[in-house]
Amino acid sequence: MKNTFGNAVSMTIFGESHGPAIGAVLDGLAAGLPVDADLIADRMDRRRARGDGLSTSRTEPDQVEFLSGVLDGHTTGTPVTLMVRNTNTRSGDYAATAALLRPGHADYTAFAKYEGWQDARGGGHFSGRITAASVAAGALCEGILRELGIRVYTHIAQCAGISDSPLSSAAGLVCPEPAPGHFALLDPGKEIPMQEAIRAAGGVGDSVGGILETIITGVPAGVGEPFFDSVESELSHLMFSVPAVKGIEFGAGFALARMRGSEANDPFVMREGKVATATNRNGGINGGITNGMPILLRTVVKPTPSIYKPQQTVDYTHYTDATLQIQGRHDPCIVPRAAVVQNTMAAFGILDLLTVRYGTLAQKHGLPQQ
Amino acid sequence: MKNTFGNAVSMTIFGESHGPAIGAVLDGLAAGLPVDADLIADRMDRRRARGDGLSTSRTEPDQVEFLSGVLDGHTTGTPVTLMVRNTNTRSGDYAATAALLRPGHADYTAFAKYEGWQDARGGGHFSGRITAASVAAGALCEGILRELGIRVYTHIAQCAGISDSPLSSAAGLVCPEPAPGHFALLDPGKEIPMQEAIRAAGGVGDSVGGILETIITGVPAGVGEPFFDSVESELSHLMFSVPAVKGIEFGAGFALARMRGSEANDPFVMREGKVATATNRNGGINGGITNGMPILLRTVVKPTPSIYKPQQTVDYTHYTDATLQIQGRHDPCIVPRAAVVQNTMAAFGILDLLTVRYGTLAQKHGLPQQ
Amino acid sequence: MKNTFGNAVSMTIFGESHGPAIGAVLDGLAAGLPVDADLIADRMDRRRARGDGLSTSRTEPDQVEFLSGVLDGHTTGTPVTLMVRNTNTRSGDYAATAALLRPGHADYTAFAKYEGWQDARGGGHFSGRITAASVAAGALCEGILRELGIRVYTHIAQCAGISDSPLSSAAGLVCPEPAPGHFALLDPGKEIPMQEAIRAAGGVGDSVGGILETIITGVPAGVGEPFFDSVESELSHLMFSVPAVKGIEFGAGFALARMRGSEANDPFVMREGKVATATNRNGGINGGITNGMPILLRTVVKPTPSIYKPQQTVDYTHYTDATLQIQGRHDPCIVPRAAVVQNTMAAFGILDLLTVRYGTLAQKHGLPQQ
Amino acid sequence: MKNTFGNAVSMTIFGESHGPAIGAVLDGLAAGLPVDADLIADRMDRRRARGDGLSTSRTEPDQVEFLSGVLDGHTTGTPVTLMVRNTNTRSGDYAATAALLRPGHADYTAFAKYEGWQDARGGGHFSGRITAASVAAGALCEGILRELGIRVYTHIAQCAGISDSPLSSAAGLVCPEPAPGHFALLDPGKEIPMQEAIRAAGGVGDSVGGILETIITGVPAGVGEPFFDSVESELSHLMFSVPAVKGIEFGAGFALARMRGSEANDPFVMREGKVATATNRNGGINGGITNGMPILLRTVVKPTPSIYKPQQTVDYTHYTDATLQIQGRHDPCIVPRAAVVQNTMAAFGILDLLTVRYGTLAQKHGLPQQ
C-alpha cells in the first residue's frame, strides 16, 4: 500500500521537503477521544531542528493544522488529517550540485524509480522532513495509549560513540520524560559528552549515528497476530519506513546469537498474582505475541549522509565520475531528533495492534481487564 | 491481515504442528510460469530435520501436494495452493507437561491470546513446522526469480560461536549453492567445528543460536516504495514472521552506529557503463529503494527454546511456580535449517516488490531492460 | 487482493473445477467458537446439484475437510482451512469443443488474461464449483452470527418468470428455514410452478435466471464504515464475486429512481424504546452504516450460460467464426442453488463488518448491549 | 480500510462538510504523468451546485490545491494530495433541528456509530460535499486513462421520470462530452423536460432521483481478477461509497432475470481481426474479467433525502417522536451532479485494475499491444 500502513488503524503519509505541505491521514480512530494538543506540540518540538550546531539550521515552527476528523478537541471517528505547511525552503542550495548523486541518499534510487520525474528538491518525499507528519500523527496515538495506561519511551542508547546507561527495571520501567530541550537519556550526565562528540564530527564536516532504544509498558498479554502480523513484523515494518534506520532488534537481539537457550529463555514466574518473566531477553514478545512484559526494541540510525567533506560520486546527467561538495543545511547527527520519530511510530503501531484485537470502541472505553 | 501478506503477490499461511496439514496459498502469480519442482524439493530437503543430533528426530518426508493453480508443471494464474500433510506427530510427548509454560515459547502468549482454546499440541500454529509451507511457497518464487536473473543466497554467518568467512565480492556475489546435505557456508571448513559446537550444547541439554546472512543479486535499481513499503520494511516484516528471529540489519547494520558519515556513505562510481557503488554499507538500498547493488541482510536466530535442562516456570492451571523438564524431540540448533527459511521468504518478498513495480505479466515476460 | 477479501475477517478462495481440490482459508476468527457442522452440512447440501433435471448431473458428496484451525469442534483462533476434493470430474466432455469460446462464459477472458495458460477444464477457477468453498466458509460464519443473534435468510424472489411472495414484516422478519430439499421460498406453493418453468426451458436446451432476496436481521445500528467500506460496498463486492451475478440493489433499489423523497425516506419512530423506521426503503442502511433495521438486498442471477442450443461463436485457435454445440453436464437454472451461495457470502461479510467495529473477541463474548 | 481503497492505485478520502477542508490522497501513480488541470476543472465544475433551483444554493468555487505529488504539471510518483477548502458553510441552518433525525440521512447511523461524537454539521463526513474530493482525484485518473486510449462517459439515463435515449452503438460508443453547463444526455432534447420535472418536485418541497449509465471504452480484454476482485466487485465497491447510490447493474442487469440463456449470452464474432461480441448483455465483463467490449453499468441514485415537506421522525435527545421541518440549502435532485461523481469514480477504479495487471510504469509508457 506504499504510503499507507495499518490494519485497524491506518496512517497515510504525503508530502515533499520543498512542496507546499506535508501531512498524514489517520483512519480508524474511535470517536470522542481527546486530542492531546500539548503532547503533539511537545513531540513536534522534540523533532524540530534547533540550528545549534547539533541539527540543521532549517528551523520551522511546524504548526500542525487539523484538516478533518477533529472537532472541539475530540476525534469525530472519521479520518484525522494533519497538515504542516513547508515554509523555510531554500531549494537554491541544491541547484549547484543537482546533477551529482549524493552518496547514502535516495537521489539515485528516486531517479531510477521515477525515471527522472521525482521532486528532487531537498530530498523530496525521501527527506527526513516527512517524519514531521508521522510524528504528529503518532503523537496523537501516543496520547490515546496514555489513556489506556500504555507508555512509550525512547532514549538514546548510543550516539557518536557515547553510551547511555543501560535500561534497568529501576530506570527503564518508569519511562522518564526527557526535560524539554534536552536529549532523551537515562543518565542526563551523558548529554554534554554526546553533544561534544557530535559537534566534533560536525566540525570536520562529518556526521555520526547511533542506537535508539524504545520501551513500551502496559500492553496486555495476547496482542499481535501469528506469522505475518507478529508484533515484531508490524513494528519493524514501521521503523524501517523511517529514513536512516538500517537495523532493528527486540529484547537481547543480536546478542542472542551467542547465548545458549538456558540463558536466552525468560523463566516464567508468578508476580503479584500474574504471570511474568524473571528476565526479558525476548523483549516482551513470544511467538510474535505480547506476553505482558515491557516491549523492548533498539533501532540503529546511520550517520547523516549529508556531510561537507568532498565525496566521490557520479554526475548522472553525463554519466561520469565526479566529486561532490554538499551545500545546504544539514544535521551532523539526527539521532536525538529521531528518538521522538521512533517513539511516535511505535505508538501508532501498538495502537493498531490493540485495535485489531479489541476493536475500535476499546480505544475509548478501555481494554478489557485481564 | 494476520496470516496473509503481500501486495501484488500474496502468501497465506495455515496449519498447526499436529493438525492434519500445513500449507500456503500463493496468489498473484502470472500464468505460464514453470514450477521448478526440483528446486522446491531441494529447499524442502534443506529445511527437513535429519535426526542426526543436530536437528529434531521428528523427520517427515514433507511431500508437497499442489491443490490448485498448477497444471502440467506450469502456473495457471490462479491461486497456487501447496499442502504438506503432517504425518509424524507424537502429541503424547507434550501431555505430561502441558500445564507448564515453556520459557521462550509461545505457550503463554497463545494461551492469553486464544483464551485457552489454542491448539497447543507441538506448539500448534507457532511451531517452526509451519515454515515448511512458507519454504515450499517461497521456493516456487525463488524459481521464478531465477528466470528473471535474480539469485538469493543465505549462509550461516555465525552459529554456536563459530563464524563463517565474511562475504566478499569474490565469494559473496557468485552465490554458491551449498552441496546437498551440507551447511550453507562460504567456508566449508567451518562445518565440522559448527556441528561439534552444536552437539556439545545439545549434549548438555542446551541449545544454540546464530546469525544468517542473505544476499540477493540481480534486482534492478528502482524497486521498493517510499515510506511504508521500503524494501527493508517488506523484508523485515517477512523475516520477523519466521519463529525465533529477533533482529535484522541491512548492509553494515548496527555497525553503522559507530561509523562516521564519510565511512557509511557508499561512493557512487561508473562501472561498465552503469551507476554502481564502491562499497555496499547500505546493503543495496537507499531511501528504501534498491540501487542495483546486491541486497544484504542479516537475521539473528535465537537459541532453540526447547532445552532439556530443568527450567523455572509457571503451572498456568494452578497459577503456581513450577519446574519444567521438557520432553519431546527438539533441535539443539535450528540455524542451519532456518537458512533456507529466510532464503525462500526473501525470494517471496522480492517477487512481490518486483510485481508491484513491473506488473504481473513481467513475471513471465521479463523485466524491462534498463 | 485478488482471491482474498475482508478486513478483520478474511476469506481466501482457491481451486479449479477439475483440479485436485477447492477450498478456502478463513482468518480472523476468535478462538473457542463452536463450529456448527450440521449447519455447514446443510448449506453444502443446499448448494449441491441433484441431477434432477433442475441442476447438473455432476453430483458430488462435497465432504468438507478441515485442514487447520479447528480442534474438538471449536476454532483455535488460527486460520481455518476448509478443503473439498473434486471427485466427479469428466474433462473429456469439454475436449471436443475446447477451441470454441462459450458465450457468456469466462473462456475468452481467461484466455486473454492468462495468455493461454489457464486451466480451462470445466471452467477452471471461474466455475460455479468454486462456490462450494465459499459456502462452507460462509456457513461457518453464519453459525457464529447465530450465536450473536443475527440471522441471514435468502429466498428466490423470482425465477424463470415466477415470483415468490414479497417480503413482509410478517413473513420476512422471521427468516424461515426452507425445508431440506426444497426451494427457499416464502410461498411454498410457488415451488412446483418454478420447477416446471425451469424444466420447460431445460427441455428446449435453454436456461433461465432469476432474482434472489436476502434479509439480515439482528445487526445493531452503527456497523459499517463511511465512504469506501460502506455496508453496501462490502456486500456488493462479495456478491459480485459470485459467478453469474450481474446486479445488486439495497432496500427499494432501482425502484427509488421513480420515487420522490417523501416516499423514499424512511420516517423514524420510537418502537419498544428504540429508534426504528416505519418503512425500510433504505434496506437498513443509511450513509453506508446500519440503522438497526433488517438489511435487505437483491441480486440478479443471469441464466446459466451453458445451454444446449447451437450458438454463434469463435474458434480461437484459428480465429474464425464457428458454431458451438455445448456438451457436458449443466444446470438449466442455478438460481435455487445460488440462494445458499449468496446467503453464506452475506454472512461472511456481516461477520467481517461486526469484527471491524467490535473486535475479534466480541465474536465469542458477544456484542455490547445498546 | 475504511476511507482508503485500491490495490495498485489507492485513494484516501478525508473531510467534513463544515470542517476546514476536504481532500484526497492518490497513491500509486507513475511519475511523469501530465496532470490535466483543465479536465479536473471541468469535472469540478460539473459537480458544482449552481443555485438555479435545480441544485443547492451553497455554491463554492471549489479550488483544488495540490499539496504534494505534483511538480511543474506532472506527477512525481509520490502521493498526490488534493485539498479543497470549505468556504461557504452555514452551520447555523442546522442548529434549530439538530436533535431531530433527518429521515434518509446518516444522522442516526452516525450517532449510533460515533456515540454522539460525530461532526454532525451539514452531514459531516457523510455529506455529498465529500465527493468534491473524489471527483478531483478521479478526474486526474480520467486524464491518465485518456492518454491510454480509454474513455469514460456517464449520462442521465433517467431522472424525475424522464428517460434519455438508450445507448446504442451509434450514440453510446462515441462518448460525447456534454456541453458545459448542460446535463449529460444522449438526447439534448430531454434536458428541458427533466429540469421542469425536477423544479416541479422542488416546488412542492419534494425531491427526485434517477438512474445514471456509465460506459467505458478502450479497456483491453483480460483486466480484472477472479473471484473477489472482479471488475464488477471493484466498481460496485466504489459506486456504493458514493452517497445516495442504492443499486448497480452491469450489462442487461436486472433484466437478465427474465431472459433465457439464449438471449443473455453474447455471441462471439470476429470483427476487424479481433474477438468481439455481437451483443453486450454482459456489459463487457465475463467471469469478472473484461472481454474488450465497452463496460456498461447503471447506478440508481435515490431522491435527495433533504426535503422541505414536514416529516415524521425522532428527537434523539429526548427519545420522543417528533415532526421535522428541514431548513438549509438542498438540491431537489442530485442526479445531474452525481453523473460526474460516478464517472470519475469509475475512472479511478479502471486505472487501479489496469495497474494491477500491467504495473505502475504502464500508466506512463502505455499498455502492451494485443
Side-chain angles (χ1 to χ4, degrees):
Chain A
M1 266 286 192
K2 300 179 176 71
N3 295 277
T4 298
F5 187 78
N7 290 288
V9 180
S10 66
M11 192 193 294
T12 298
I13 289 283
F14 62 84
E16 281 78 41
S17 181
H18 291 199
I22 57 164
V25 184
L26 250 188
D27 200 6
L29 299 187
L33 302 169
V35 173
D36 189 336
D38 290 343
L39 185 65
I40 296 174
D42 176 82
R43 272 30 183 166
M44 293 301 281
D45 186 66
R46 290 187 189 286
R47 203 207 70 90
R48 195 167 60 83
R50 294 177 189 287
D52 53 3
L54 297 169
S55 53
T56 169
S57 57
R58 175 181 175 182
T59 61
E60 298 179 61
D62 284 348
Q63 193 68 38
V64 177
E65 184 185 358
F66 288 93
L67 296 181
S68 69
V70 174
L71 186 65
D72 298 336
H74 288 77
T75 58
T76 62
T78 49
V80 174
T81 307
L82 310 105
M83 179 179 69
V84 181
R85 289 277 180 190
N86 292 322
T87 54
N88 188 351
T89 56
R90 294 203 331 230
S91 300
D93 286 350
Y94 298 86
T97 57
L100 304 184
L101 300 172
R102 292 174 300 160
H105 272 286
D107 294 353
Y108 174 60
T109 55
F111 174 75
K113 180 170 181 60
Y114 300 119
E115 305 181 303
W117 292 95
Q118 72 279 11
D119 181 348
R121 302 169 303 165
H125 191 60
F126 295 89
S127 166
R129 170 86 188 135
I130 309 307
T131 59
S134 71
V135 165
L140 202 164
C141 297
E142 191 184 352
I144 298 169
L145 290 184
R146 287 189 171 198
E147 298 287 320
L148 299 172
I150 295 169
R151 305 291 286 210
V152 187
Y153 176 77
T154 300
H155 75 114
I156 307 169
Q158 182 191 313
C159 181
I162 313 292
S163 293
D164 191 13
S165 297
L167 266 177
S168 67
S169 56
L173 303 187
V174 297
C175 290
E177 275 289 301
H182 286 277
F183 282 12
L185 291 164
L186 298 174
D187 176 359
K190 296 295 175 62
E191 185 166 10
I192 301 296
M194 268 189 198
Q195 294 186 343
E196 286 173 352
I198 294 169
R199 285 201 181 90
V204 296
D206 218 329
S207 65
V208 290
I211 294 173
L212 293 165
E213 186 167 48
T214 299
I215 179 168
I216 308 162
T217 61
V219 179
V223 174
E225 301 294 331
F227 228 80
F228 291 125
D229 279 0
S230 74
V231 176
E232 293 112 325
S233 287
E234 170 120 353
L235 292 181
S236 69
H237 194 129
L238 288 170
M239 290 302 170
F240 279 118
S241 66
V242 178
V245 172
K246 297 299 280 190
I248 188 170
E249 58 182 8
F250 292 85
F254 276 88
L256 289 162
R258 290 186 176 272
M259 290 184 190
R260 289 203 163 178
S262 54
E263 299 165 292
N265 285 350
D266 299 306
F268 285 107
V269 292
M270 292 303 300
R271 188 182 292 150
E272 297 170 16
K274 287 190 154 184
V275 175
T277 62
T279 54
N280 193 8
R281 293 186 192 111
N282 285 276
I285 305 165
N286 292 133
I289 316 288
T290 56
N291 66 13
M293 298 296 291
I295 298 171
L296 292 173
L297 64 96
R298 272 175 301 282
T299 53
V300 58
V301 178
K302 73 174 183 177
T304 321
S306 289
I307 56 173
Y308 296 102
K309 286 190 169 179
Q311 295 182 86
Q312 179 189 356
T313 191
V314 158
D315 177 330
Y316 74 94
T317 55
H318 302 90
Y319 288 101
T320 52
D321 290 317
T323 299
L324 170 67
Q325 178 82 48
I326 284 182
Q327 307 296 323
R329 300 164 294 175
H330 309 289
D331 300 37
C333 182
I334 58 166
V335 177
R337 299 172 67 195
V340 74
V341 179
Q342 261 81 320
N343 207 64
T344 45
M345 199 60 104
F348 162 63
I350 293 296
L351 184 64
D352 182 30
L353 288 165
L354 286 168
T355 306
V356 166
R357 178 156 173 77
Y358 299 112
T360 311
L361 295 175
Q363 293 174 12
K364 178 156 184 59
H365 299 297
L367 308 179
Q369 293 303 308
Q370 293 200 306
Chain B
M1 266 289 189
K2 300 178 176 71
N3 294 277
T4 298
F5 188 77
N7 290 287
V9 181
S10 66
M11 192 194 293
T12 298
I13 289 283
F14 63 83
E16 281 80 39
S17 180
H18 291 200
I22 57 164
V25 184
L26 205 55
D27 199 5
L29 299 186
L33 301 170
V35 174
D36 189 337
D38 291 342
L39 185 66
I40 295 173
D42 175 82
R43 273 29 185 167
M44 293 302 281
D45 187 66
R46 290 186 189 286
R47 202 207 70 90
R48 195 167 60 83
R50 294 175 189 287
D52 53 3
L54 297 169
S55 52
T56 171
S57 57
R58 174 181 175 181
T59 61
E60 299 180 60
D62 284 348
Q63 193 68 37
V64 177
E65 183 184 0
F66 288 94
L67 295 180
S68 68
V70 174
L71 186 65
D72 298 335
H74 288 77
T75 58
T76 62
T78 50
V80 175
T81 306
L82 310 104
M83 179 180 69
V84 182
R85 290 275 180 192
N86 292 322
T87 53
N88 188 352
T89 56
R90 296 205 327 235
S91 300
D93 287 349
Y94 298 86
T97 57
L100 304 185
L101 300 172
R102 291 173 302 161
H105 273 286
D107 293 354
Y108 174 60
T109 55
F111 174 75
K113 180 169 182 59
Y114 300 119
E115 306 182 301
W117 292 95
Q118 72 278 12
D119 181 349
R121 302 169 303 164
H125 191 60
F126 295 90
S127 166
R129 170 86 188 135
I130 308 306
T131 59
S134 71
V135 165
L140 202 164
C141 297
E142 192 184 351
I144 297 169
L145 290 184
R146 286 189 171 197
E147 297 287 320
L148 299 172
I150 295 168
R151 307 289 287 207
V152 188
Y153 176 77
T154 300
H155 75 113
I156 307 170
Q158 183 190 312
C159 181
I162 312 292
S163 293
D164 191 11
S165 297
L167 265 177
S168 67
S169 57
L173 304 187
V174 297
C175 290
E177 275 290 301
H182 286 277
F183 282 14
L185 291 164
L186 298 175
D187 176 359
K190 297 296 174 61
E191 185 166 12
I192 300 296
M194 269 190 198
Q195 294 186 342
E196 286 173 352
I198 295 170
R199 285 202 182 90
V204 296
D206 217 330
S207 64
V208 289
I211 295 173
L212 293 166
E213 186 167 47
T214 299
I215 179 169
I216 308 161
T217 61
V219 179
V223 174
E225 301 294 329
F227 228 79
F228 291 125
D229 279 359
S230 75
V231 175
E232 293 111 326
S233 288
E234 169 119 354
L235 292 181
S236 69
H237 194 129
L238 289 170
M239 290 301 169
F240 280 118
S241 66
V242 178
V245 172
K246 297 298 278 190
I248 189 170
E249 58 182 6
F250 292 85
F254 277 88
L256 289 162
R258 290 186 175 271
M259 289 184 189
R260 288 204 163 177
S262 54
E263 299 166 292
N265 285 350
D266 299 306
F268 285 107
V269 294
M270 292 303 301
R271 189 182 293 151
E272 297 169 19
K274 287 189 154 186
V275 176
T277 63
T279 54
N280 194 7
R281 294 187 191 109
N282 285 276
I285 305 165
N286 291 132
I289 316 288
T290 56
N291 64 15
M293 298 297 291
I295 298 171
L296 291 173
L297 64 93
R298 273 174 301 280
T299 53
V300 58
V301 178
K302 72 174 184 177
T304 322
S306 290
I307 57 174
Y308 296 101
K309 287 189 169 180
Q311 296 181 86
Q312 177 188 358
T313 191
V314 158
D315 177 330
Y316 73 93
T317 56
H318 303 91
Y319 288 101
T320 52
D321 290 317
T323 299
L324 169 67
Q325 177 83 48
I326 284 182
Q327 307 296 323
R329 301 164 294 176
H330 310 289
D331 300 37
C333 182
I334 59 166
V335 177
R337 299 173 66 195
V340 74
V341 178
Q342 260 81 320
N343 207 64
T344 45
M345 199 60 104
F348 162 63
I350 294 295
L351 184 64
D352 181 29
L353 288 165
L354 286 168
T355 306
V356 166
R357 178 157 174 76
Y358 298 112
T360 311
L361 295 174
Q363 293 174 12
K364 178 155 182 61
H365 299 297
L367 308 179
Q369 293 303 309
Q370 293 199 305
Chain C
M1 266 290 190
K2 301 177 176 73
N3 295 277
T4 299
F5 188 77
N7 290 288
V9 180
S10 66
M11 193 193 293
T12 298
I13 288 283
F14 62 84
E16 280 80 40
S17 181
H18 290 202
I22 57 163
V25 184
L26 204 55
D27 200 5
L29 298 187
L33 302 168
V35 173
D36 188 338
D38 290 343
L39 185 65
I40 296 174
D42 176 82
R43 274 28 185 168
M44 293 302 282
D45 186 66
R46 289 187 189 286
R47 202 206 71 89
R48 196 166 59 84
R50 295 176 188 285
D52 52 2
L54 297 169
S55 51
T56 170
S57 58
R58 174 182 175 181
T59 62
E60 299 179 61
D62 284 347
Q63 193 68 35
V64 177
E65 183 184 359
F66 288 94
L67 296 181
S68 69
V70 174
L71 186 64
D72 298 336
H74 288 78
T75 58
T76 62
T78 50
V80 175
T81 307
L82 311 103
M83 181 180 69
V84 181
R85 290 275 180 191
N86 292 322
T87 54
N88 189 350
T89 57
R90 294 202 332 229
S91 301
D93 287 351
Y94 297 87
T97 58
L100 303 184
L101 300 172
R102 293 174 299 160
H105 273 285
D107 294 354
Y108 173 60
T109 55
F111 174 75
K113 180 169 182 58
Y114 300 119
E115 305 182 301
W117 291 96
Q118 71 280 11
D119 181 350
R121 301 169 302 164
H125 190 61
F126 296 89
S127 166
R129 170 84 187 136
I130 309 305
T131 60
S134 71
V135 165
L140 202 164
C141 297
E142 192 183 352
I144 298 169
L145 290 183
R146 287 187 170 198
E147 298 288 320
L148 299 173
I150 295 168
R151 306 290 287 209
V152 188
Y153 176 77
T154 299
H155 76 113
I156 306 170
Q158 181 191 311
C159 181
I162 312 292
S163 294
D164 191 13
S165 298
L167 265 177
S168 67
S169 57
L173 304 188
V174 297
C175 291
E177 276 291 300
H182 285 277
F183 283 12
L185 291 164
L186 297 175
D187 176 359
K190 296 295 174 63
E191 186 167 9
I192 301 295
M194 270 190 198
Q195 293 186 344
E196 286 173 352
I198 294 170
R199 285 203 181 88
V204 295
D206 217 330
S207 64
V208 290
I211 294 173
L212 294 166
E213 185 167 49
T214 299
I215 179 169
I216 308 161
T217 61
V219 180
V223 174
E225 302 293 330
F227 229 80
F228 292 125
D229 279 0
S230 74
V231 175
E232 293 111 326
S233 288
E234 170 119 353
L235 293 181
S236 69
H237 194 129
L238 288 170
M239 290 303 171
F240 280 118
S241 66
V242 178
V245 171
K246 297 299 278 189
I248 188 170
E249 58 181 6
F250 292 85
F254 277 88
L256 289 161
R258 290 186 177 272
M259 290 185 189
R260 288 203 164 178
S262 54
E263 300 165 291
N265 286 349
D266 300 305
F268 286 106
V269 292
M270 291 303 302
R271 187 182 295 149
E272 296 170 17
K274 287 188 153 186
V275 175
T277 63
T279 54
N280 193 8
R281 294 184 192 111
N282 285 276
I285 306 166
N286 292 133
I289 317 287
T290 56
N291 65 14
M293 298 296 291
I295 299 171
L296 291 173
L297 64 96
R298 273 174 302 281
T299 52
V300 60
V301 178
K302 72 174 185 177
T304 321
S306 290
I307 57 174
Y308 297 101
K309 287 191 167 178
Q311 295 181 85
Q312 177 189 357
T313 190
V314 159
D315 177 330
Y316 73 95
T317 56
H318 302 91
Y319 289 101
T320 52
D321 290 317
T323 298
L324 170 68
Q325 177 83 47
I326 284 182
Q327 307 298 321
R329 303 164 293 175
H330 308 289
D331 300 37
C333 182
I334 59 166
V335 176
R337 298 174 67 196
V340 76
V341 179
Q342 260 83 319
N343 208 62
T344 46
M345 199 60 104
F348 162 64
I350 293 296
L351 184 63
D352 182 30
L353 288 165
L354 286 168
T355 306
V356 167
R357 177 157 174 77
Y358 298 113
T360 312
L361 295 174
Q363 292 173 13
K364 176 152 185 64
H365 299 296
L367 307 179
Q369 294 302 311
Q370 294 199 306
Chain D
M1 266 289 191
K2 302 176 174 73
N3 294 276
T4 299
F5 187 77
N7 290 288
V9 180
S10 66
M11 193 193 294
T12 299
I13 288 283
F14 62 84
E16 280 80 41
S17 180
H18 290 200
I22 58 164
V25 185
L26 204 55
D27 200 5
L29 299 186
L33 302 169
V35 173
D36 189 337
D38 290 344
L39 186 65
I40 296 174
D42 176 82
R43 274 27 185 167
M44 293 302 282
D45 186 66
R46 290 188 189 285
R47 203 206 69 89
R48 196 166 60 82
R50 297 179 185 284
D52 53 3
L54 297 168
S55 52
T56 170
S57 58
R58 175 182 174 182
T59 61
E60 299 179 60
D62 284 347
Q63 192 68 37
V64 176
E65 183 184 358
F66 288 94
L67 296 181
S68 70
V70 173
L71 186 65
D72 298 335
H74 288 78
T75 59
T76 62
T78 49
V80 174
T81 307
L82 310 104
M83 180 179 69
V84 182
R85 290 277 179 189
N86 292 323
T87 54
N88 189 351
T89 57
R90 293 200 338 226
S91 300
D93 286 351
Y94 298 86
T97 58
L100 303 184
L101 300 172
R102 293 173 301 161
H105 273 285
D107 294 354
Y108 174 61
T109 56
F111 173 75
K113 179 170 182 56
Y114 300 120
E115 305 182 301
W117 291 96
Q118 72 279 11
D119 182 349
R121 301 169 303 165
H125 190 62
F126 296 89
S127 166
R129 170 84 187 136
I130 309 305
T131 59
S134 71
V135 165
L140 203 165
C141 297
E142 191 184 352
I144 298 169
L145 290 183
R146 288 188 170 197
E147 298 288 320
L148 299 173
I150 295 168
R151 306 290 288 209
V152 188
Y153 176 78
T154 300
H155 76 113
I156 306 169
Q158 183 190 313
C159 181
I162 312 292
S163 294
D164 192 12
S165 298
L167 266 178
S168 67
S169 57
L173 303 188
V174 297
C175 291
E177 276 290 300
H182 285 277
F183 282 14
L185 291 163
L186 297 175
D187 177 359
K190 296 295 173 62
E191 185 166 10
I192 301 296
M194 270 191 197
Q195 294 186 342
E196 285 172 353
I198 295 170
R199 284 202 182 90
V204 296
D206 217 329
S207 64
V208 290
I211 294 173
L212 294 166
E213 185 167 48
T214 299
I215 179 169
I216 308 162
T217 61
V219 180
V223 175
E225 303 293 330
F227 229 79
F228 291 125
D229 279 0
S230 75
V231 175
E232 292 111 327
S233 288
E234 169 118 354
L235 292 181
S236 69
H237 195 130
L238 288 170
M239 290 303 171
F240 280 118
S241 66
V242 178
V245 171
K246 298 299 278 189
I248 189 170
E249 59 182 5
F250 293 85
F254 277 89
L256 289 162
R258 290 187 175 271
M259 291 185 189
R260 289 204 163 177
S262 54
E263 299 165 291
N265 286 350
D266 300 305
F268 286 105
V269 292
M270 291 304 300
R271 187 182 295 150
E272 296 170 18
K274 289 187 151 187
V275 175
T277 63
T279 54
N280 193 7
R281 293 184 193 112
N282 284 276
I285 305 165
N286 291 132
I289 317 287
T290 57
N291 65 13
M293 298 297 290
I295 298 170
L296 292 173
L297 63 96
R298 273 175 300 281
T299 53
V300 59
V301 178
K302 73 175 184 176
T304 320
S306 289
I307 57 174
Y308 297 101
K309 286 189 168 180
Q311 295 180 87
Q312 178 189 358
T313 190
V314 158
D315 177 330
Y316 75 93
T317 56
H318 303 89
Y319 288 100
T320 51
D321 289 317
T323 298
L324 169 68
Q325 176 82 46
I326 284 182
Q327 306 298 321
R329 303 164 293 176
H330 308 288
D331 300 36
C333 181
I334 58 166
V335 177
R337 298 174 66 196
V340 75
V341 178
Q342 261 81 320
N343 208 63
T344 46
M345 200 60 105
F348 162 64
I350 293 295
L351 184 64
D352 182 29
L353 288 165
L354 286 169
T355 306
V356 167
R357 177 156 174 76
Y358 298 112
T360 312
L361 296 174
Q363 292 174 12
K364 177 153 183 62
H365 299 295
L367 307 179
Q369 294 303 309
Q370 293 200 308

